[in-house]
Amino acid sequence: MASRNPTRPLSPHLGIYRWGPHMLVSVIHRGTGVAMACVGMPILLWWLAAMAGGPESYRGFEWFFTDLLGGAIGYLVGIGLTLALFLHMGNGVRHLFLDAGALFELRRNKLSSLAVLAFGVTATVVYWFFVGVVK
Amino acid sequence: MRTAIREVRGLGAAKEGTHHWWNQRLTAGSNLLLMLWFVIVIARMPAYDYATATATFASGWRAIPLLLLVVSVFYHLRLGLQVVIEDYQHGQSRVVALVLLNFYTVAGLAIALFSIAKIALGA
């Protein structure tokens, strides 16, 4: 609370633990969740409102993501958001297993965390390969 | 959702304590299905211009799942950001942040639902 005595000892925090994949996916889960809620959703709202607003307003959306800086913003935001989505999605499924009481053994916990990272990166690469190259 | 321990403890003052936790999991499941559907629809669109985009989501087959997606995702992010705010904000700033979160959720939903309805019913 606001009136906390700063001289009192703190409970062990991030700094004293040795980093492992389980900590990494935990931090990534929160980070990607906040990013999608605070950046991804406003962009989705802008896109929907631009469609509802008519060709003129849609043009503004297109300009920002595909024309400005040669379309760099569109690719940066698009790839970033799909990576965030697939990482959050993969770890979300892992969390449902954790809720059921599974994957708490050290080895399985580590392996499932690594699987989440592998899935997030692979799914993003496959997705953009399909959208950008195959199609 | 109620858990068995409530039978032992005799309800308690709040009568139930798993509402937030359970709805976070429930919307996680619906988000999983709806977002997979959404990224597939986006990937399969032949182009991303105004005419193609509005025609794609004018159909009820896509407008209705999109409506469900926005509601499910907003509910999920509302619950998730609440936990983040409660972890890092204390005192007055926590109250302000939670109020702003509620405003964001309701205003965002209104924008999304109005837009989807307009696209589907003739922009």
Side-chain angles (χ1 to χ4, degrees), chain A residues 40-52:
Chain A
M41 182 51 89
I43 291 173
L44 177 64
L45 291 178
W46 184 10
W47 187 57
L48 292 173
M51 277 197 276

Side-chain angles (χ1 to χ4, degrees), chain B residues 11-86:
Chain B
L11 291 175
K15 306 300 179 207
E16 64 119 72
T18 54
H19 182 257
H20 183 287
W21 185 91
W22 174 248
N23 282 120
Q24 186 91 71
R25 269 70 191 167
L26 193 68
T27 50
S30 50
N31 280 358
L32 177 65
L33 299 174
L34 291 164
M35 284 307 298
L36 283 174
W37 165 83
F38 185 66
V39 293
I40 290 171
V41 168
I42 296 294
R44 293 186 61 200
M45 280 170 67
Y48 300 97
D49 58 288
Y50 172 76
T52 315
T54 47
T56 302
F57 290 97
S59 155
W61 291 101
R62 297 196 193 84
I64 292 169
L66 185 62
L67 217 106
L68 294 173
L69 178 141
V70 170
V71 172
S72 176
V73 169
F74 254 117
Y75 196 171
H76 189 81
L77 79 81
R78 158 72 185 73
L79 295 170
L81 285 184
Q82 180 189 336
V83 175
V84 175
I85 290 168
E86 287 170 349

Side-chain angles (χ1 to χ4, degrees), chain B residues 1-3 6-7 10-18:
Chain B
M1 191 182 108
R2 299 274 174 90
T3 56
R6 113 179 197 283
E7 305 293 339
L11 291 175
K15 306 300 179 207
E16 64 119 72
T18 54

